[in-house]
Amino acid sequence: MIHIPFVGNPNTGKTALINAIAKSDLEVGNWPGVTVEKKEARFTYAGEDVVLVDLPGAYTLSPYSLEEKITRNMLAEEKFDGIIDVIDTTNLRRNLYLTLELIDMQRPMVLALNMFDDFTKRGYELDIDKLQEIFGVPAIPTIASRKLGTQKLIDAAIAAVKEQTIPLIQPYQEHIEKEIAFLIHAMPQTGLSPRFFAIQLIADDPYAHALAETLKENDLIEKAAKARGRLEAHMKLPIKTIITRARYEVIDRLLEVVLKKPILDKVLLSEKIDAVLLHKWLGIPFFFLIMMLMFKLTFDGSGSLVTWVSNFFQDFLDKYISLGLQDVAPPWLISLFTDGILSGMGLVLSFLPLLFLLYFFMAMLEESGYMARVSFLLDCAGRTLRIKGNAFISMIIGFGCNVPAVYATRALTTKRERIITILMIPLMSCSARLPIYALFTAIFFQEHQVLVIMSLYLLGIIVAFFLGWISNLILPSEEGKPFFLELPTYHMPNMKAVWVLMWPKLKDFIVRAGTVIVMASIILWGIIKLPVGTDPHNSYLAQTAKLVTPVFKPAGFGEHWEPVAAMIPGTLAKEVVISSLGTIYGVEIKNEMTRSTFKEDTIMQLKALKEAFVNAFLHMFNIHIESLNNVQPSTLQQKLRKQFASPLAAFSYLVFILLYIPCVSTMAAIRTELGMRWMLFETALLPLVAYGMSVLVYQLGLRFL
Amino acid sequence: MKLSELHPKQKAIIKSIGDIGELKDRLMELGVLCGEPIQVVRIAPFGDPIEIRIGDEHLALRNEDAQKIEVEAISQLRHRERKGLS
């Protein structure tokens, strides 16, 4: 006669399993003295009588409910040969708690992994071999409802009884194990497993306590109390909590090894992604890769549209407004309107495609959960300047365009961080400065073009960090919020949320920064075009430049006023330096006023717009390397060659170009973010830094080259 | 031992949370309580901050704060393997 109780949580399918195995109706009675049903089934297995007992559902053997009590009493007091632990596999974590208690009883045992079909349907995977290896007992997947796995289960159970397959002890934390071992040593022989008895005694289980008392083991009770006291003092927790947590600890550790969550499990997927993106060595390179990709998509995708917007303003609006005003306004007024106001508006709007895309990708990164990771990756690097890791994102964006970079500082919490970051951003060499480098290096450094350009970028970074470091020392440190990051699970960005992140920045740029840009554009128009009817050599700009130029003698370009003059309109947008040089030297190729009708032009513009969109799309997905070969009129090159005494002087000029005031759009953005005072401060500071650096470069170059 | 002394992938039980200002409340809200199991997931490339896991939540803390959190390391699965039981 082999007695095998079926133990398990409520509703795990014990009864269905017994039915399937014994192929009989259960004999239903009552447990002695209570009204809880007792179900048994008898059948013959290989000539032996086997009794299967369906124990009431229990979550634990430290009983709360009547059913649990019966189950515990049965397991503690009645004779049986082996346990079948029925587990609802879809609820593995909770079910294994009882399993651990059963393991502590150290009796032959088999696990029935019931509802295994539902479990696999959910996309989970269980490493059953590993589970068997760890527990040291067979684990059989079963589907009681379809009578699957039942034969295997009973075979395994009988074999376990015959071979006395005792489950392996799953050790808890070491200090708990110490106490258990200590109690086992002092324990008399009982029908209970010493380990189970010891744990129950430590846990102050009334049943165990009563058992010890009947055995007159007062010494044991005292020892258990001491052990409990030590644990509680050590953990500062009630004993129940200590034991419960210890068990779940074991379970979680086990599940980590044996349970494969579904592929679509977001938590797991996130962890997998993080294993790559936050990798000790690869994390930073991946960050740069993602940034580069973002840049490529932004600039390739917006380039043709930006061009279209500027062309639309220059060739179309400009032309027709000039024509319309021809008879009603003096030429200077028309010029103010078109070259001042309109070109300012054109400048603002030409930024839109670029900003739109950049903010879009930024918002996507923010929404997907990657931004928090960047802070994690770079926090330590930013700490030297007491700024957050994600401040570096702003700086990196600065290499594309300083304007969105300034807006990106909104992600930083304290004003102090934002000030330091915004002070550094203009020193990140934006893409508008590249054509100037290209033009000059093509003339003066034909052999080492790339090297020279790289060195300029590097210089910007070095100076930026120096500035950041200084301002970190000067600015009073705020009691910053403690550093704390939640790393959210990666998820697909919700487009509405992305838009909410994007729109305020775009709106701010158009409205608030836009007005500043248009104002600046008007002022600069005044400097360049006035007095009325002037030529480029006698404008206010030229006059001022002629005055100022000697100051640049120590920097190596104080001989000729033209390059100095070109820098002032260059504040509108850095690349304007080139066309200004052209204007001043008088080598500009005048746009021919082609004779065409309004209708033709409108159609042409629309066609161009369509093409721009197509190109934008195409460029996003193919890599094309911008060559640095500039098709500048060679007269400009010749002029420049004459105007700079040496390549060193030209390099010094480029250093100045790199470091002096960024464009008015950036300034407008700074005003939006930090206010007028900081904007003016930065406008004053940067030229000084630029002057200092180009003098330093030139003087050092003279001595050492 | 201190939370900052754990190795990546190592698990522990939180024993006490020292004086880390308002960070303590934030952590409490997220279920970082005494007696909770906690796991160090990884350490950032520059050695700071550290990423920890509580349940399914992933958080990052700086070392300076992690030093003020007392934990008790849980013996690893390997521990049993050393004993040759599995």
Side-chain angles (χ1 to χ4, degrees):
Chain A
M1 183 78 89
I2 301 176
H3 281 263
I4 300 180
F6 279 59
V7 193
N9 287 186
N11 310 318
T12 50
K14 291 183 291 291
T15 315
L17 274 178
I18 293 177
N19 265 331
I21 292 167
K23 295 180 187 67
S24 70
D25 289 330
L26 296 169
E27 301 161 23
V28 180
N30 267 356
W31 290 97
V34 289
T35 53
V36 178
E37 276 186 349
K38 177 179 180 178
K39 301 174 202 150
E40 283 185 7
R42 287 161 194 274
F43 75 112
T44 318
Y45 180 94
E48 254 190 291
D49 275 344
V50 179
V51 181
L52 305 179
V53 187
D54 184 2
L55 292 184
Y59 291 111
T60 169
L61 299 180
S62 302
Y64 296 95
S65 68
L66 188 57
E67 283 87 353
E68 283 176 340
K69 214 173 230 155
I70 293 164
T71 298
R72 192 267 325 272
N73 290 353
M74 153 79 206
L75 290 174
E77 296 159 9
E78 304 288 317
K79 200 178 118 348
F80 65 90
D81 302 289
I83 302 168
I84 290 184
D85 176 21
V86 184
I87 290 174
D88 169 3
T89 322
T90 57
N91 253 321
L92 211 46
R93 190 170 185 262
R94 203 189 57 199
N95 277 249
L96 283 173
Y97 190 87
L98 179 66
T99 307
L100 284 188
E101 291 184 317
L102 294 172
I103 286 175
D104 285 334
M105 297 196 97
Q106 293 290 290
R107 299 295 299 267
M109 178 165 140
V110 177
L111 305 186
L113 302 170
N114 203 19
M115 309 191 192
F116 204 77
D117 51 346
D118 286 347
F119 172 80
T120 48
K121 247 184 237 155
R122 292 179 196 191
Y124 286 81
E125 268 181 67
L126 190 64
D127 189 340
I128 296 174
D129 291 343
K130 191 85 200 168
L131 181 73
Q132 297 189 122
E133 181 194 325
I134 291 171
F135 279 169
V137 293
I140 316 294
T142 57
I143 306 162
S145 54
R146 306 203 339 244
K147 299 187 170 51
L148 290 174
T150 50
Q151 189 58 46
K152 240 182 150 174
L153 179 67
I154 194 64
D155 290 348
I158 302 290
V161 171
K162 295 268 183 238
E163 293 159 23
Q164 287 293 302
T165 314
I166 307 290
L168 295 171
I169 288 174
Q170 306 298 308
Y172 303 119
Q173 284 155 279
E174 272 176 81
H175 59 275
I176 300 179
E177 286 299 329
K178 258 187 227 147
E179 302 293 357
I180 295 171
F182 163 76
L183 269 196
I184 290 176
H185 274 296
M187 198 165 278
Q189 269 294 335
T190 62
L192 274 179
S193 114
R195 180 177 171 82
F196 180 72
F197 192 20
I199 292 171
Q200 294 299 83
L201 273 175
I202 293 173
D204 207 12
D205 177 61
Y207 181 86
H209 193 92
L211 181 64
E213 279 189 331
T214 46
L215 293 168
K216 306 239 175 353
E217 287 284 348
N218 290 332
D219 189 32
L220 187 66
I221 293 173
E222 217 161 287
K223 280 194 167 125
K226 276 192 184 138
R228 183 164 54 249
R230 278 196 293 272
L231 284 176
E232 286 186 328
H234 179 70
M235 308 276 289
K236 298 185 185 54
L237 286 170
I239 192 69
K240 284 259 192 239
T241 318
I242 295 175
I243 304 265
T244 309
R245 284 193 196 291
R247 289 201 170 112
Y248 274 120
E249 237 344 281
V250 172
I251 292 168
D252 289 339
R253 213 162 56 212
L254 167 84
L255 289 183
E256 215 164 276
V257 179
V258 299
L259 185 67
K260 286 204 197 75
K261 287 183 181 168
I263 273 300
L264 280 174
D265 185 313
K266 280 185 173 170
V267 176
L268 200 76
L269 188 67
S270 258
E271 282 169 13
K272 284 210 167 101
I273 296 173
D274 274 345
V276 178
L277 291 185
L278 296 184
H279 185 271
K280 199 167 176 176
W281 307 112
L282 299 177
I284 305 270
F286 266 111
F287 164 68
F288 282 115
L289 201 72
I290 289 170
M291 286 289 137
M292 283 199 17
L293 190 71
M294 184 168 102
F295 268 50
K296 192 187 128 38
L297 291 175
T298 303
F299 287 97
D300 291 356
S302 65
S304 52
L305 286 167
V306 171
T307 315
W308 180 85
V309 173
S310 6
N311 286 344
F312 177 75
F313 271 84
Q314 274 171 14
D315 305 344
F316 185 76
L317 284 182
D318 194 321
K319 179 173 160 183
Y320 284 100
I321 287 172
S322 303
L323 281 175
L325 294 176
Q326 224 165 8
D327 309 327
V328 290
W332 69 264
L333 190 62
I334 295 174
S335 166
L336 165 65
F337 199 77
T338 53
D339 300 340
I341 299 170
L342 209 61
S343 72
M345 285 163 70
L347 186 64
V348 175
L349 293 177
S350 69
F351 265 104
L352 281 190
L354 181 123
L355 293 184
F356 181 91
L357 278 179
L358 200 50
Y359 292 149
F360 173 75
F361 291 126
M362 289 270 299
M364 289 283 281
L365 288 181
E366 179 82 49
E367 267 295 296
S368 65
Y370 184 68
M371 281 300 188
R373 268 91 180 162
V374 174
S375 303
F376 176 76
L377 284 173
L378 299 174
D379 176 69
C380 200
R383 194 108 46 102
T384 43
L385 303 173
R386 286 204 225 119
I387 52 177
K388 274 203 192 58
N390 46 7
F392 289 106
I393 296 180
S394 295
M395 293 182 205
I396 288 173
I397 290 171
F399 286 111
C401 176
N402 292 174
V403 177
V406 171
Y407 282 118
T409 57
R410 286 184 190 185
L412 304 172
T413 39
T414 68
K415 177 138 189 192
R416 184 175 184 278
E417 283 178 323
R418 291 170 58 199
I419 289 169
I420 293 176
T421 314
I422 286 178
L423 280 173
M424 294 167 76
I425 287 171
L427 305 177
M428 303 297 148
S429 185
C430 71
S431 55
R433 295 171 220 191
L434 202 55
I436 311 173
Y437 302 158
L439 172 68
F440 276 76
T441 49
I443 300 170
F444 296 99
F445 304 96
Q446 270 143 341
E447 263 86 276
H448 308 290
Q449 250 193 313
V450 176
L451 193 70
V452 170
I453 291 176
M454 289 284 286
S455 69
L456 284 164
Y457 273 76
L458 197 65
L459 183 74
I461 296 169
I462 293 168
V463 175
F465 272 85
F466 183 71
L467 261 189
W469 181 69
I470 296 275
S471 43
N472 179 40
L473 292 179
I474 292 171
L475 286 170
S477 73
E478 288 177 15
E479 193 48 59
K481 282 204 156 29
F483 175 83
F484 171 80
L485 272 177
E486 276 177 76
L487 301 177
T489 316
Y490 287 109
H491 56 279
M492 279 312 277
N494 158 326
M495 282 306 142
K496 203 173 165 185
V498 166
W499 180 246
V500 166
L501 281 172
M502 282 172 69
W503 175 236
K505 293 182 191 161
L506 279 173
K507 201 171 73 180
D508 264 358
F509 179 78
I510 300 168
V511 181
R512 298 177 64 184
T515 44
V516 178
I517 294 169
V518 173
M519 288 289 297
S521 175
I522 292 168
I523 293 167
L524 282 166
W525 171 87
I527 294 172
I528 299 163
K529 300 282 180 173
L530 295 181
V532 175
T534 181
D535 64 45
H537 291 262
N538 297 309
S539 62
Y540 290 139
L541 172 68
Q543 292 171 30
T544 320
K546 281 169 191 167
L547 265 180
V548 175
T549 302
V551 172
F552 292 102
K553 275 212 166 76
F557 50 95
E559 307 298 331
H560 300 277
W561 63 269
E562 293 93 332
V564 177
M567 286 197 264
I568 297 173
T571 54
L572 255 181
K574 280 270 160 90
E575 65 268 43
V576 172
V577 168
I578 297 175
S579 55
S580 301
L581 280 170
T583 314
I584 295 166
Y585 293 139
V587 294
E588 197 181 16
I589 308 160
K590 267 279 169 224
N591 276 349
E592 288 291 308
M593 275 285 214
T594 44
R595 297 192 60 81
S596 54
T597 66
F598 181 71
K599 192 177 150 191
E600 278 170 7
D601 270 352
T602 312
I603 289 167
M604 214 172 74
Q605 287 295 336
L606 290 172
K607 269 191 184 151
L609 178 63
K610 195 194 95 188
E611 255 168 47
F613 268 109
V614 171
N615 281 339
F617 191 75
L618 288 177
H619 278 165
M620 265 198 189
F621 301 102
N622 69 47
I623 297 168
H624 65 109
I625 296 158
E626 295 270 347
S627 67
L628 291 178
N629 295 338
N630 239 301
V631 275
Q632 290 303 324
S634 55
T635 33
L636 178 59
Q637 297 208 359
Q638 281 160 9
K639 287 263 183 192
L640 283 175
R641 201 186 295 272
K642 279 199 200 105
Q643 295 228 311
F644 287 90
S646 63
L648 177 63
F651 184 73
S652 165
Y653 180 70
L654 288 183
V655 169
F656 196 87
I657 290 274
L658 161 75
L659 300 176
Y660 88 114
I661 308 172
C663 62
V664 290
S665 310
T666 304
M667 286 307 173
I670 293 174
R671 183 177 154 269
T672 316
E673 291 305 293
L674 294 181
M676 199 69 175
R677 277 184 40 231
W678 280 104
M679 195 240 331
L680 290 175
F681 170 74
E682 193 143 11
T683 316
L685 175 77
L686 285 170
L688 291 176
V689 173
Y691 183 78
M693 280 311 293
S694 48
V695 169
L696 188 72
V697 165
Y698 187 68
Q699 296 301 334
L700 285 177
L702 280 183
R703 284 182 186 42
F704 296 103
L705 291 179
Chain B
M1 65 193 307
K2 300 185 175 79
L3 177 60
S4 51
E5 292 166 354
L6 293 177
H7 304 296
K9 303 243 183 339
Q10 205 175 355
K11 288 188 162 185
I13 300 265
I14 302 171
K15 281 174 58 189
S16 69
I17 300 176
D19 177 26
I20 47 175
E22 59 179 290
L23 185 57
K24 191 164 179 169
D25 308 334
R26 291 296 311 275
L27 290 176
M28 291 279 187
E29 282 165 24
L30 284 151
V32 182
L33 307 162
C34 295
E36 272 300 315
I38 187 170
Q39 183 188 20
V40 171
V41 181
R42 63 170 57 83
I43 295 168
F46 297 114
D48 199 16
I50 58 173
E51 182 185 339
I52 57 169
R53 178 166 64 198
I54 305 260
D56 273 346
E57 295 274 348
H58 287 246
L59 318 170
L61 302 171
R62 280 185 181 159
N63 259 324
E64 48 183 299
D65 296 317
Q67 274 170 2
K68 295 175 184 158
I69 298 174
E70 275 291 320
V71 297
E72 171 150 13
I74 292 160
S75 49
Q76 300 283 290
L77 273 170
R78 256 174 289 142
H79 178 78
R80 186 171 50 249
E81 283 163 12
R82 270 205 305 277
K83 284 187 171 170
L85 283 167
S86 56

